[in-house]
């Protein structure tokens, strides 16, 4: 395909969401251009863990969407599908060290049962019955979940973009746009483009483009260890504190302890993270936070004390004020679709969101499952609870 200035669809943002939309849209025959201010997976998608987890979602809509996305991504990883070798099924281990954390595990058990989700509890008991050896003495209970997965955001982003027959331009920023009856004029840092429809999937960059869509930038610090000795058993899946569930769901953490996830990488390294801080500086890591995370991680898995830390970094998540992603056509601007606010769930939801947005763009029909995510929900409210 030769580059042109006129497309069926321009997507601003080559993170995992924009890339998934691009691939799904080209599968439907749309002529697509993707532009990015910095480059593919340059922002949150390249600075995340990659848990494809239903257990960490709020009960109700978010858990259902995560489950649907997980099942769809699993399909795309089979039979030489686009996510083959990128989407890795694995168990998740969630532990409790305190009464509030144990209560969170009870709620999780009920949610998985009540919502008939595809993730199942394989084992629920004391630490010594778990498949993981050498847990810290404070851990009183571990649940093993089967059916969850891991997918590195940058790998999926590149896979989608490689396979999509689209034009990719970077560095090229969306600066402004003008919708009209014939389509959308797109003003970029490298000149004007024209398209029938525009998708704004610019992560926290969306804040400057759509000031009426209220968002916050929430950063997270992550720690990467060395590989450790060859004799050391790798974890079969991530070890997640139930405080992390409390922090991510509406319940609040209370006195449950510091949320921590110890996530094994296929290289033998371990990823330890991640904080949720209400500011948006991707370069800011601090020694006090890193020390607290490490202290908590070593308490959960004492053998980590032997590891060396080789990298500490931060990424920034785009979050909405009500905790739900912001997905759908803008009010009064049906040719402009927004897809942002995925906070800590964008890797997990990317498969489903890409498919559903592409279906909407190609057919004009929106999935009723995504109705609650519409950006229009903010225009009808005077004050949005933080
Ligand atoms: C520390 C951390 C851990 C995480 N862990 C997980 C996890 O375990 N599981 C999970 O599901 N999610 C996780 N997430 C969240 C996940 O990374 C995000 O939800 C997801 O990457 C969002 O993807 P996106 O495409 O919407 O945004 P981004 O990846 O941020 O992409 C947006 C793109 O838009 C570009 N852009 C910005 N402004 C413009 C503009 N004006 N014009 C053109 N391009 C522009 C940027 O350069 C960027 O490439 C984590 C995030 C962080 C930070």
């Amino acid at each position: 395909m030769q580059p042109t200035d006129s497309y069926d669809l321009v997507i601003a943002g080559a993170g995992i969401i924009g890339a998934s939309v691009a691939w799904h849209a080209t599968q439907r025959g749309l002529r697509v251009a993707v532009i990015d201010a910095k480059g593919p997976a340059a922002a949150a998608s390249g600075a995340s863990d990659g848990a494809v987890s239903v257990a960490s979602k709020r009960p109700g809509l978010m858990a259902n969407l995560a489950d649907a996305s997980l099942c769809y991504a699993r399909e795309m990883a089979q039979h030489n599908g686009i996510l083959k070798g990128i989407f890795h099924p694995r168990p998740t281990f969630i532990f409790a060290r305190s009464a509030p954390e144990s209560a969170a595990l009870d709620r999780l058990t009920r949610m998985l049962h009540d919502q008939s989700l595809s993730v199942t509890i394989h084992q629920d008991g004391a630490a010594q019955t778990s498949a993981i050896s050498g847990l810290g003495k404070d851990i009183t209970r571990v649940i093993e979940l089967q059916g969850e997965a891991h997918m590195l955001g940058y790998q999926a982003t590149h896979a989608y973009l490689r396979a999509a027959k689209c034009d990719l331009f970077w560095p090229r920023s969306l600066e402004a746009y003008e919708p009209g009856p014939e389509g959308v004029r797109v003003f970029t840092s490298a000149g004007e483009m024209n398209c029938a429809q525009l998708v704004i999937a610019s992560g926290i960059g969306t804040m400057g483009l759509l000031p009426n869509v209220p968002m916050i930038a929430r950063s997270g610090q992550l720690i990467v260890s060395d590989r450790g000795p060859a004799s050391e058993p790798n974890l079969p899946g991530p070890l997640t504190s139930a405080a992390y569930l409390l922090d991510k769901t509406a319940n609040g953490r209370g006195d449950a302890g510091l949320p921590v996830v110890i996530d094994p990488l296929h290289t033998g390294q371990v990823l330890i993270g991640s904080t949720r801080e209400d500011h948006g500086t991707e370069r800011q890591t601090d020694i006090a936070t890193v020390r607290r995370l490490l202290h908590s991680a070593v308490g959960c898995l004492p053998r980590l004390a032997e590891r060396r830390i080789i990298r500490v970094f931060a990424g920034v998540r785009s979050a909405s004020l009500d905790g739900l992603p912001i997905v759908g056509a803008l009010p009064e601007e049906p040719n402009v679709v927004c897809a942002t606010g995925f906070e800590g769930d964008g890797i997990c939801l990317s498969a489903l969101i890409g498919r559903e947005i592409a279906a909407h763009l190609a057919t004009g029909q929106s999935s009723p499952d995504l109705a609650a995510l519409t950006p229009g929900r903010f225009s009808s409210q005077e004050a949005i609870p933080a």
Side-chain angles (χ1 to χ4, degrees), residues 21 86 147 173 183 189 194 199 207 214 243 302 324 337 344 346 361 383:
V21 173
I86 294 172
S173 297
S189 52
N194 291 289
V199 169
M207 291 167 93
L324 292 177
V337 169
L361 296 167

Side-chain angles (χ1 to χ4, degrees), residues 13 15-17 36-37 43-45 48-51 174 202 315 343-348:
I16 195 167
I17 298 294
D36 196 284
S45 301
S48 58
D49 176 355
L174 173 64
S202 308
E343 208 191 336
D345 302 321
I347 309 299
C348 177

Side-chain angles (χ1 to χ4, degrees), residues 287 346 379:
I287 195 75
S379 46

